[in-house]
DNA sequence: CAGGTTTTAGAGGTATCTCTCTAAATACAC
DNA sequence: GTGTATTTAGAGAGATACCTCTAAAACCTG
């Protein structure tokens, strides 16, 4: 049918992830991505309509790579193990995919969300509501009743592992293994019913 | 002695904070700062040797504005109230200074730390070790013994309030008042000795 | 091998940003 | 008032980024 592609979309996105992890969103220029894989800039524009389109795919692909494992961890039948598994998944995924995890440290806004194609904006919203919905129902399965209880589950399952992991990643160092235990303790302590007393 | 200055350093930094809060570090260009206060670009270069110098002062001033209150909250004699006050301070400060708080969401690296003047780099390191040292001694005063216990206090006093506040700020919405209570509960639950059981 | 489609390849226009440099304006000291 | 140090004011050079556009190359189908 046609000439085979030498620089595929996923190759370019891989390069973009590396650049973003090292130099932040500003480092993801079309020229830098092209240079990073040895392609001329025209090849990048052949795959992505413009820079916002590339950035949106970069963000959405990375987010989905993380969320898919997170969501399947939440599907465990026992709600408490679901919560613990999800929290641990965040740590393990970040440990195993440091560059991608460093991308998620930022915000869609930092990746020019305002200029994304409409479809990308909707996809992002869908992904976010899907995760928040899953955590919400988890909170109810855990017996959370009020607004504050639900918030507390969100902190336990999302914010604490995320914060602990990012603190290490942002220094460029890998995620130490003891973080897994710290997160497990903190999450357990914050879930309804509490954890073993701290000391 | 001389002509009075029309665009002071702090005016320019104020504008830079606004720009960074709205558009991220990339939006803080010398031209944008100048335009934001109605000055020609030359006036900005008269105050700051170059862009890294401006960014370093932007970061250090903002960090110090936050840390001074945080550190004085930690000085309370009763260690548990010190921890709770420090956690609450983070929430209140972010609520009252949303633009500055949104700046602190980023990393010195995002503000070109690699090109900062030496002196600024040292000041940053000093500020960080000062805070981590204070939290470290707080952890000991709270009876923390092992590595994991200390980490847990850091999570309770720093990471949890920071994460909860940033989750709201990054959507552009102000910090809701109920966050103060959520943070207080989570921090209490994570401190040695625990909090009231969740439910 | 011929036709058609996709992709590479990169030159170049336009815009923007950083930073330098000169000249003029200002206000205080004497 | 005069001198002087500081600041404003902005033009312009050099670099870089985004994006467009044209031409050629490569491969599959028939």
């Amino acid at each position: 049918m046609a000439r085979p592609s030498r620089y595929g979309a996923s190759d370019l996105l891989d390069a973009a992830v590396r650049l973003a992890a090292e130099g932040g969103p500003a480092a993801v220029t079309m020229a830098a991505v092209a240079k990073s894989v040895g392609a001329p800039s025209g090849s990048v524009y052949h795959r992505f309509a413009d820079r916002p389109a590339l950035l949106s795919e970069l963000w959405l692909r990375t987010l989905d790579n993380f969320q898919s494992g997170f969501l399947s961890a939440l599907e465990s039948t026992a709600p408490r193990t679901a919560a613990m598994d999800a929290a641990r998944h965040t740590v393990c995924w970040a440990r195993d995919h440091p560059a991608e995890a460093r991308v998620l440290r930022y915000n869609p806004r930092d990746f020019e969300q305002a200029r994304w194609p409409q479809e990308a904006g909707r996809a992002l919203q869908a992904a976010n509501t899907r995760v928040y919905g899953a955590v919400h129902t988890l909170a109810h399965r855990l017996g959370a009743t009020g607004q504050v209880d639900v918030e507390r589950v969100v902190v336990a399952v999302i914010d604490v592992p995320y914060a602990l992991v990012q603190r290490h990643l942002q220094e460029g160092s890998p995620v130490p293994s003891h973080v897994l235990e710290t997160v497990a303790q903190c999450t357990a302590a914050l879930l309804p019913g509490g954890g073993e007393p701290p000391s």
Side-chain angles (χ1 to χ4, degrees), chain A:
Chain A
M1 213 164 5
R3 176 176 175 177
S5 62
R6 195 164 151 194
Y7 310 109
S10 68
D11 300 322
L12 298 174
L13 287 179
D14 290 344
V17 166
R18 280 197 307 273
L19 290 166
E22 286 167 25
V28 186
T29 69
M30 303 301 259
V33 171
K35 185 180 174 184
S36 176
V37 301
S41 72
S43 297
V44 182
Y45 282 95
H46 182 69
R47 297 286 174 195
F48 304 98
D50 52 13
R51 187 166 176 262
L54 182 145
L55 293 179
S56 71
E57 293 204 30
L58 158 59
W59 181 264
L60 290 173
R61 189 187 74 159
T62 308
L63 187 69
D64 191 64
N65 284 350
F66 165 71
Q67 285 188 346
S68 62
F70 184 84
L71 284 173
S72 65
L74 278 183
E75 279 172 3
S76 183
T77 44
R80 208 178 167 88
T81 34
M84 296 298 294
D85 285 352
R88 274 191 284 255
H89 171 265
T90 299
V91 178
C92 294
W93 186 84
R95 191 226 300 134
D96 299 338
H97 307 84
E100 282 182 286
R102 274 159 77 168
V103 165
L104 292 186
R105 191 175 84 70
Y106 294 94
N107 200 278
R109 288 189 179 200
D110 296 323
F111 288 92
E112 306 234 51
Q113 186 189 11
R115 298 180 191 181
W116 285 7
Q118 266 197 337
E119 168 199 327
R122 275 195 297 269
L124 172 64
Q125 201 168 6
N128 280 340
T129 60
R130 198 177 39 176
V131 162
Y132 267 87
V135 175
H136 210 81
T137 67
L138 172 76
H140 282 284
R141 288 205 293 149
L142 280 163
T145 58
Q147 163 91 4
V148 178
D149 282 358
V150 172
E151 271 289 300
R152 199 156 153 164
V153 171
V154 174
V155 173
V157 173
I158 294 182
D159 290 313
V160 163
Y162 178 79
L164 266 163
V165 145
Q166 293 300 349
R167 177 141 54 85
H168 294 281
L169 287 176
Q170 85 183 186
E171 297 163 6
S173 53
V175 179
S177 55
H178 69 78
V179 169
L180 197 55
E181 190 195 338
T182 307
V183 165
Q185 269 198 29
C186 293
T187 300
L190 289 170
L191 290 179
E196 71 273 26
S199 86

